Amino acid sequence: MKTIGKIFLSLSLALLFCWVAPWLYRLITLKAYATPFTLYSCTLHDFTSLDRSDEREFRFIDRSGGVHGDEAQPMFYASILASRGALPDSIEGRKISLEEIDYHSVIASSDPKDVNRTVPPVYLLMESVPERLELKDPEDAMVSRKSGIDIYDMATNTLRADKTAALNAALKARGFVFPARLFAGKPSHRKEYDEGYLVTDAEGKLFQLKQVNDSVTVRHFPAADGIGIDFLMITEFENHATLGYLTGADGCLQFLCPDGRIINTTVPFNPRKEDLLIVGDMFYYTVKVSDDKGERFWALRSSDFAPVDSMSRAYPHQRNLPGISFTSSTDSRVKLRLQQ
Amino acid sequence: MTRMILYKEWLKTRWTLAGIAAVVAALTFYCFLNLGKVVEIRGAALLWETLVAKDTVLTEILRYMPAFAGALLALAQFVPEIQHKRLKLTLHLPYPQGRMLLVMVAFSLLSLTVLFALQAGVCALCLTRWIPAELLARILRTMAVWYLSGWAGYLFVSALCLEPTWRMRVLELLVAAGFLRLLFLTPVPEAYNGFFWVLLLYVMASGSLLFLGVARFKEGYQD
């Protein structure tokens, strides 16, 4: 036992050193840096980055070094331009107005920490067609189990047997194979409308579950069969341009349209390791995919989500000491990780 | 003889154990009094929403209690042994030394386990009224690491008590601090799911430090 004690203490001290030394080194040597906010400009047809070197001025720099004012981003700074009377009447031959710009404005993001989060198989169920029009806090919740999805009344923690039986019968009728794998939804009343949940079954088929008049409706998206969906995100934007975003076995970002079509943007995106930021307007979507090495941008045409331009920016290299760590910037799990 | 050793440990630690049990009971009661009020005023749906949408398990007030309980029990059990070198007398009893230390440690670990199991049982009983098994399992899986810190706190503080030299004690203190920090690295529920068994093995292996301390004491190491 004495020898085991000695070995235990020595190993523990070695592990402690390998954990603390790289952390201390990073703490001392880490240099903060900021990357500029970058969007695709519908007037310049180029990516422009916000330059705040002079804090009193908002300047946008395009890729060839040209300096522009707010008019380089008339969609993002529409209110400011309108207050100066500088908002153009039309862009690319299309008439624009503040209301229309606002209606088509889209911002969405995904963080690997959220994607990798261990979540309980419990999903709050909102009423999508509320009696008084305003969305209300959910009263029921779905609990995903091996043999089906059970619906509970949260206030009393009791199974709503009729509703559960109706949902499972509807799911089976549409070819749903239990257990469900992925759920994506935003059960919050702080949104314009509710589209319920996008769900994949045990075979990877895509469905939408939505509560309408206290009954859960089921919709199947045959276009997604065989894609191998491994990431789902519901959008619920005011303009109903998309129903959700997803990634499949090909590792590219795909858009699910309300009519059930799936458009592959061909933007490579690994949701478990990379951040995603999408800023869209009437004309273009700027898609930013970033990790700890750098960020890549794509401009997609809003009408058909076809890529029109791309650029990338590498972050300055930070030297790290090899060692071990137990946490990561891409997930919340604690486990032993080797650091190069 | 085993019964006599157990009785000796009981005499040494009964008031500490009673104090720990009282604090555990009071904290658990306070935690569920609060949750009961929330349910009464805002409804049980709020508990579901909070558990699903936020990184909480509602019982965070109990998080550090096991580690403190373990450390306190170790102090109550081993400080009397090292005072005036009473450990020397204990080790001269007609009983195998290794087994004696094992009985002493088992007594405390079992006492802590009973207390923790009782608390977890009360939590489960109270929560079952409001939430489904899936959410309850999430809470208990998260709390399992807190209870592990109770065992770790007990074993490391015991080892520190039994170690006869300060030089070695400082090294053990570094390891203990590092390991306890690791157990509280993140408050995110179920963050330790895949790593729990490795941590449990490590905690069990840390018991070897107690035997190292006793062996060094017998070899005559001292400051």
Side-chain angles (χ1 to χ4, degrees):
Chain A
M1 262 308 193
K2 187 187 162 194
T3 316
I4 296 174
K6 275 184 182 171
I7 294 170
F8 175 83
L9 189 62
S10 311
L11 272 177
S12 298
L13 285 167
L15 280 172
L16 189 66
F17 179 78
C18 292
W19 179 26
V20 175
W23 170 76
L24 264 178
Y25 178 82
R26 261 199 317 278
L27 196 71
I28 295 164
T29 61
L30 200 69
K31 286 190 180 78
Y33 60 87
T35 56
F37 178 57
T38 302
L39 282 179
Y40 190 75
S41 164
C42 58
T43 49
L44 301 171
H45 297 105
D46 194 2
F47 287 98
T48 61
S49 301
L50 182 61
D51 174 31
R52 295 304 309 273
S53 50
D54 179 356
E55 286 193 5
R56 286 169 301 176
E57 248 189 296
F58 265 74
R59 301 189 317 165
F60 293 90
I61 315 279
D62 63 30
R63 277 182 290 181
S64 50
V67 180
H68 310 273
D70 288 329
E71 66 283 355
Q73 290 296 346
M75 296 290 109
F76 203 79
Y77 297 102
S79 306
I80 295 167
L81 288 173
S83 71
R84 291 186 209 142
L87 187 70
D89 295 332
S90 64
I91 293 173
E92 292 187 0
R94 188 172 165 187
K95 288 244 174 225
I96 58 170
S97 66
L98 269 181
E99 291 74 27
E100 210 181 352
I101 290 169
D102 194 37
Y103 180 73
H104 287 285
S105 164
V106 158
I107 294 183
S109 63
S110 166
D111 180 338
K113 261 206 160 137
D114 291 331
V115 177
N116 293 322
R117 201 169 159 244
T118 308
V119 291
V122 177
Y123 307 94
L124 310 184
L125 194 55
M126 293 192 80
E127 174 57 54
S128 298
V129 188
E131 226 174 284
R132 310 281 301 171
L133 296 178
E134 269 185 26
L135 291 173
K136 285 174 28 182
D137 284 332
E139 290 173 2
D140 291 344
M142 295 185 287
V143 180
S144 174
R145 290 176 172 145
K146 271 184 190 169
S147 56
I149 296 175
D150 294 338
I151 300 178
Y152 277 77
D153 172 22
M154 291 193 285
T156 56
N157 190 25
T158 50
L159 184 73
R160 294 196 59 185
D162 293 349
K163 206 167 164 180
T164 297
L167 169 62
N168 288 313
L171 283 168
K172 277 180 192 159
R174 280 161 188 76
F176 193 98
V177 182
F178 295 111
R181 262 197 206 144
L182 297 173
F183 273 77
K186 288 183 203 158
S188 160
H189 59 257
R190 290 180 195 156
K191 57 186 181 183
E192 294 291 323
Y193 61 97
D194 177 63
E195 285 290 0
Y197 284 89
L198 291 174
V199 183
T200 59
D201 72 355
E203 292 177 350
K205 288 181 284 185
L206 181 62
F207 296 83
Q208 182 185 16
L209 308 186
K210 190 169 159 179
Q211 179 167 235
V212 178
N213 299 324
D214 203 32
S215 163
V216 184
T217 61
V218 179
R219 181 183 176 194
H220 175 218
F221 298 96
D225 290 357
I227 284 181
I229 298 171
D230 56 9
F231 163 74
L232 269 178
M233 179 178 166
I234 204 154
T235 47
E236 293 166 340
F237 298 135
E238 197 181 351
N239 66 358
H240 294 258
T242 54
L243 191 54
Y245 301 150
L246 53 102
T247 58
D250 69 349
C252 288
L253 181 67
Q254 311 193 37
F255 289 1
L256 172 66
C257 299
D259 60 7
R261 277 180 308 129
I262 288 188
I263 298 173
N264 194 332
T265 65
T266 66
V267 170
F269 169 52
N270 182 347
R272 296 199 171 272
K273 290 184 177 166
E274 295 170 324
D275 283 288
L276 173 75
L277 175 67
I278 295 178
V279 181
D281 57 46
M282 288 170 67
F283 300 96
Y284 298 98
Y285 277 38
T286 304
V287 179
K288 179 177 119 176
V289 177
S290 55
D291 58 15
D292 56 354
K293 292 184 183 66
E295 47 196 27
R296 290 159 288 145
F297 295 87
W298 283 265
L300 309 178
R301 202 164 40 226
S302 300
S303 55
D304 56 3
F305 304 119
V308 292
D309 205 348
S310 67
M311 67 168 262
S312 62
R313 180 185 291 137
Y315 295 152
H317 177 68
Q318 303 260 10
R319 196 166 163 265
N320 280 333
L321 280 186
I324 60 168
S325 72
F326 294 96
T327 50
S328 158
S329 59
T330 56
D331 67 60
S332 303
R333 283 190 288 272
V334 176
K335 62 179 182 182
L336 186 63
R337 303 156 200 266
L338 293 176
Q339 234 172 243
Q340 297 296 322
Chain B
M1 189 65 178
T2 307
R3 216 187 271 176
M4 303 293 281
I5 295 167
L6 287 174
Y7 184 62
K8 176 171 75 85
E9 296 313 304
W10 168 246
L11 286 180
K12 267 193 302 185
T13 58
R14 58 188 168 166
W15 291 114
T16 310
L17 276 172
I20 292 170
V23 173
V24 167
L27 272 178
T28 314
F29 178 73
Y30 175 71
C31 177
F32 284 95
L33 189 72
N34 268 342
L35 288 179
K37 283 281 165 212
V38 170
V39 172
E40 198 182 309
I41 297 164
R42 306 272 310 269
L46 185 70
L47 300 190
W48 289 59
E49 282 177 42
T50 311
L51 283 166
V52 169
K54 297 191 175 145
D55 280 336
T56 174
V57 288
L58 307 172
T59 53
E60 273 79 6
I61 193 173
L62 312 173
R63 194 172 178 219
Y64 298 105
M65 184 274 305
F68 281 115
L72 202 65
L73 187 59
L75 289 174
Q77 192 177 17
F78 288 108
V79 167
E81 295 286 349
I82 52 170
Q83 271 178 344
H84 311 299
K85 296 195 179 155
R86 278 180 210 157
L87 185 62
K88 208 177 235 175
L89 292 175
T90 307
L91 295 175
H92 275 92
L93 289 173
Y95 196 74
Q97 287 163 8
R99 200 188 296 172
M100 177 147 45
L101 192 58
L102 213 59
V103 170
M104 291 164 83
V105 171
F107 168 83
S108 293
L109 285 182
L110 200 69
S111 306
L112 286 173
T113 307
V114 168
L115 275 176
F116 298 160
L118 276 174
Q119 188 187 47
V122 169
C123 289
L125 264 179
C126 294
L127 288 165
T128 307
R129 288 185 296 151
W130 300 320
I131 56 173
E134 285 78 2
L135 291 178
L136 178 63
R138 179 175 171 84
I139 295 174
L140 293 178
R141 276 198 291 265
T142 305
M143 288 174 71
V145 181
W146 307 349
Y147 293 138
L148 193 63
S149 77
W151 281 13
Y154 168 76
L155 289 170
F156 277 116
V157 173
S158 300
L160 287 170
C161 289
L162 291 174
E163 169 53 44
T165 65
W166 274 105
R167 193 174 60 91
M168 197 71 143
R169 213 174 265 162
V170 167
L171 295 179
E172 287 181 0
L173 189 64
L174 285 174
V175 172
F179 185 68
L180 286 173
R181 172 75 190 115
L182 175 61
L183 292 181
F184 294 107
L185 264 186
T186 170
V188 175
E190 300 195 74
Y192 292 83
N193 273 4
F195 199 41
F196 180 80
W197 299 108
V198 178
L199 295 173
L200 180 64
L201 277 177
Y202 184 87
V203 169
M204 286 163 75
S206 71
S208 61
L209 288 180
L210 277 78
F211 293 88
L212 177 64
V214 168
R216 285 167 51 79
F217 178 79
K218 273 174 59 190
E219 285 167 17
Y221 284 97
Q222 60 179 342
D223 286 326

